[in-house]
């Protein structure tokens, strides 16, 4: 008796996993994995499956509908789907794909970041064969190891997420527009470092590199994974840490040297970011 879903052919694999309480609270973890050889009659339509899906299409085209939009996942492409929201997928014709369902404490934030950077839940990775090999290895490990190594699984999932997160920046550098963007961002970062002590604004940085504030902010976030404003604050606080540890300057003077307009503003920002005040940080041994 074939217990596989309709349209999934013999030879396909599907395996389920029940994570420990420790994994659910502290790690990334798989819930099910598999490799499907499908006919056009296969389809999935869910409201909420309680996890995230990573699917790599080896042959054919998988059509995906998520968050009100429809996408085609073609051979050599990866789909990263939020299965907490209504979603569906089905083959355009025959399709082979390897898939991993997983979850983790901050997967939602990373999914949002990754799909925003790629401007789609569907994209290509720079080394598709290596990416697919790692996915197939996950299926193999769960198939032949009844007791899974949850720490290894968590590292594997994190590796997939970081690969998807960083691929976009690497792809940009391969194209002329990417080289221009890289030059703009490097120029902006150099300008920030040279003017940390000044009353610097995002508008001033954008003007220096010849872009509108909104256009510059989008490019900066895509390249550095943070806003220009957040980057500027963190660089000021990093410079302040060095001064706190290597000089005897008063804290008020340090605040002004790293671009804060008052000691109280500096202290509040420093404490908020680091959990301790500048005075307490200065007393800590290196």
């Amino acid at each position: 008796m074939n217990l596989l879903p309709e349209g999934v052919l013999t030879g396909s694999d599907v395996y389920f996993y029940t994570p420990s309480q420790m994994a659910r609270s502290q790690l990334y973890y798989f819930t099910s994995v598999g490799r499907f050889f499908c006919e056009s009659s296969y389809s999935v339509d869910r409201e909420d499956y309680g996890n995230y899906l990573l699917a790599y299409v080896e042959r054919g085209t998988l059509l995906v509908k998520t968050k009100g939009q429809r996408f085609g996942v073609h051979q050599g492409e990866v789909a990263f789907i939020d299965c907490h929201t209504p979603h569906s997928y089905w083959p355009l014709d025959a399709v082979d794909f390897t898939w991993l369902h997983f979850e983790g404490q901050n997967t939602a934030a990373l999914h949002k970041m990754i799909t925003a950077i790629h401007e789609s839940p569907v994209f290509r990775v720079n080394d598709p064969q290596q990416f697919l090999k790692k996915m197939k290895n996950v299926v193999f490990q769960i198939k032949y190891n009844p007791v899974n190594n949850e720490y290894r699984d968590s590292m594997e999932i994190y590796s997939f997420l970081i690969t998807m997160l960083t691929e976009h920046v690497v792809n940009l550098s391969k194209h002329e527009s990417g080289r221009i963007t890289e030059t703009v961002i490097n120029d902006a970062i150099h300008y920030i470092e040279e003017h940390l002590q000044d009353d610097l604004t995002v508008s001033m940085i954008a003007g220096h590199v010849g872009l509108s504030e909104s256009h510059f902010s989008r490019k900066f976030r895509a390249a550095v994974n943070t806003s220009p404003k957040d980057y500027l604050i963190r660089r000021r606080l990093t410079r302040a840490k060095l001064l706190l540890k290597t000089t005897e300057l008063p804290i008020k003077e340090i605040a002004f040297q790293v671009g804060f307009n008052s000691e109280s503003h500096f202290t509040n920002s420093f404490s908020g970011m680091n959990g301790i005040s500048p005075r307490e940080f200065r007393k800590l041994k290196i």
Side-chain angles (χ1 to χ4, degrees), residues 141-158:
Q141 291 293 337
I142 293 182
K143 179 178 182 179
Y144 291 104
N145 289 286
V147 180
N148 243 33
N149 185 322
E150 294 184 319
Y151 295 106
R152 182 200 62 213
D153 289 349
S154 187
M155 288 190 292
E156 289 283 10
I157 294 170
Y158 190 66

Side-chain angles (χ1 to χ4, degrees), residues 96-126:
D96 303 344
F97 68 105
T98 298
W99 52 270
L100 312 173
H101 279 288
F102 63 92
E103 186 57 271
Q105 288 297 309
N106 70 331
T107 311
L110 286 172
H111 176 270
K112 183 178 180 180
M113 186 182 300
I114 290 166
T115 54
I117 287 173
H118 288 276
E119 300 180 335
S120 170
V122 179
F123 42 86
R124 290 183 177 271
V125 292
N126 290 318

Side-chain angles (χ1 to χ4, degrees), residues 2-3 21 24 50 71 74 92 97 104 111 133 150 153 155 195 202 220 236 248 250 283:
N2 184 8
L3 299 179
Q21 180 59 42
R24 289 196 297 272
F71 303 89
H74 306 289
L92 181 62
F97 68 105
H111 176 270
K133 182 180 178 180
E150 294 184 319
D153 289 349
M155 288 190 292
H195 295 84
V202 175
F220 193 93
R236 283 175 165 160
E248 295 182 354
K283 292 176 183 177

